Amino acid sequence: HFRHEHVKMALLFKKWRTPKTKELLEEITDRFTELENSPKPDANNFFANIYYNALKFTYHYSLLDFENALKAQTEVLKIWEESPEMIDSNQTAYIAQLSNYIGCSISCKEYKLADKAIRKLEKMETGTFDEEGELFQNLYFYKQYYYLNQSDFENAIKLVPEIEEGLKKFSNKINPARKLSFYYNNTVSYFLTENYSA
């Protein structure tokens, strides 16, 4: 049930990011209210609890309520990290959830939380090309995003060569929207340091 509802909410979020119409806002609010009023998942059911809290994260994030989104995503990470065997067998999913946490922490200007989570990503070891690509696109995107949000353009620019190398290596792994975000952030880094030719 929670997985089904999470998929619906995630698809709406992926398409619209934020509700574009009154009807869509009402739809996601009704879904969320129903979730809040339904019985909570069994404490021992890993996936039900993950989907339950991830759904709460997506709902709050879509409304740009980053504070409550961060609370929900903090709970998601807690569940993952209390089950290290699940991280070992689903590392790509854990990377994505840790990355959501970083992005939300930055949106809340909780830079110490973001930095600590970035360090976790840096220490992760990958076993497959897909995992390596997933780690690259999240670690480098959020690391540069972290620097840009603190106007640390020098460190943001230092990442550009590694980003360009990773974009070539994992070209087929990274979706077009993320590629555009990388190029945009590289451009902003150079522009704000008046390195216009770069």
PDB file of all heavy atoms in Angstrom, residues 55 69 73-74 91 182:
ATOM      1  N   LEU A  55       7.215   9.034   1.190  1.00  0.00           N
ATOM      2  CA  LEU A  55       6.011   9.692   0.680  1.00  0.00           C
ATOM      3  C   LEU A  55       5.809  11.037   1.395  1.00  0.00           C
ATOM      4  O   LEU A  55       5.478  12.049   0.759  1.00  0.00           O
ATOM      5  CB  LEU A  55       4.807   8.773   0.894  1.00  0.00           C
ATOM      6  CG  LEU A  55       3.564   9.026   0.034  1.00  0.00           C
ATOM      7  CD1 LEU A  55       2.724   7.763  -0.044  1.00  0.00           C
ATOM      8  CD2 LEU A  55       2.723  10.163   0.559  1.00  0.00           C
ATOM      9  N   ALA A  69      10.053  18.392   5.133  1.00  0.00           N
ATOM     10  CA  ALA A  69      10.642  17.411   4.219  1.00  0.00           C
ATOM     11  C   ALA A  69      11.922  16.841   4.822  1.00  0.00           C
ATOM     12  O   ALA A  69      12.171  15.633   4.762  1.00  0.00           O
ATOM     13  CB  ALA A  69      10.933  18.051   2.860  1.00  0.00           C
ATOM     14  N   GLN A  73      12.839  12.998   5.712  1.00  0.00           N
ATOM     15  CA  GLN A  73      13.994  12.339   5.094  1.00  0.00           C
ATOM     16  C   GLN A  73      15.004  11.896   6.146  1.00  0.00           C
ATOM     17  O   GLN A  73      15.702  10.897   5.964  1.00  0.00           O
ATOM     18  CB  GLN A  73      14.653  13.271   4.069  1.00  0.00           C
ATOM     19  CG  GLN A  73      15.643  12.606   3.149  1.00  0.00           C
ATOM     20  CD  GLN A  73      15.020  11.505   2.291  1.00  0.00           C
ATOM     21  OE1 GLN A  73      13.812  11.430   2.144  1.00  0.00           O
ATOM     22  NE2 GLN A  73      15.847  10.654   1.722  1.00  0.00           N
ATOM     23  N   THR A  74      15.073  12.600   7.252  1.00  0.00           N
ATOM     24  CA  THR A  74      15.922  12.181   8.360  1.00  0.00           C
ATOM     25  C   THR A  74      15.450  10.821   8.889  1.00  0.00           C
ATOM     26  O   THR A  74      16.270   9.945   9.206  1.00  0.00           O
ATOM     27  CB  THR A  74      15.888  13.222   9.498  1.00  0.00           C
ATOM     28  OG1 THR A  74      16.385  14.472   8.994  1.00  0.00           O
ATOM     29  CG2 THR A  74      16.739  12.790  10.679  1.00  0.00           C
ATOM     30  N   GLN A  91      22.522  -0.577  -2.392  1.00  0.00           N
ATOM     31  CA  GLN A  91      23.341   0.615  -2.219  1.00  0.00           C
ATOM     32  C   GLN A  91      22.910   1.778  -3.111  1.00  0.00           C
ATOM     33  O   GLN A  91      22.934   2.937  -2.686  1.00  0.00           O
ATOM     34  CB  GLN A  91      24.827   0.300  -2.471  1.00  0.00           C
ATOM     35  CG  GLN A  91      25.730   1.479  -2.176  1.00  0.00           C
ATOM     36  CD  GLN A  91      27.186   1.102  -2.038  1.00  0.00           C
ATOM     37  OE1 GLN A  91      27.689   1.016  -0.936  1.00  0.00           O
ATOM     38  NE2 GLN A  91      27.856   0.846  -3.149  1.00  0.00           N
ATOM     39  N   PHE A 182      24.531  20.129 -14.140  1.00  0.00           N
ATOM     40  CA  PHE A 182      25.989  20.190 -13.999  1.00  0.00           C
ATOM     41  C   PHE A 182      26.553  21.336 -14.838  1.00  0.00           C
ATOM     42  O   PHE A 182      27.355  22.154 -14.353  1.00  0.00           O
ATOM     43  CB  PHE A 182      26.633  18.881 -14.463  1.00  0.00           C
ATOM     44  CG  PHE A 182      26.779  17.840 -13.386  1.00  0.00           C
ATOM     45  CD1 PHE A 182      26.227  16.575 -13.537  1.00  0.00           C
ATOM     46  CD2 PHE A 182      27.494  18.099 -12.222  1.00  0.00           C
ATOM     47  CE1 PHE A 182      26.389  15.597 -12.565  1.00  0.00           C
ATOM     48  CE2 PHE A 182      27.654  17.144 -11.242  1.00  0.00           C
ATOM     49  CZ  PHE A 182      27.091  15.882 -11.413  1.00  0.00           C
TER      50      PHE A 182
END
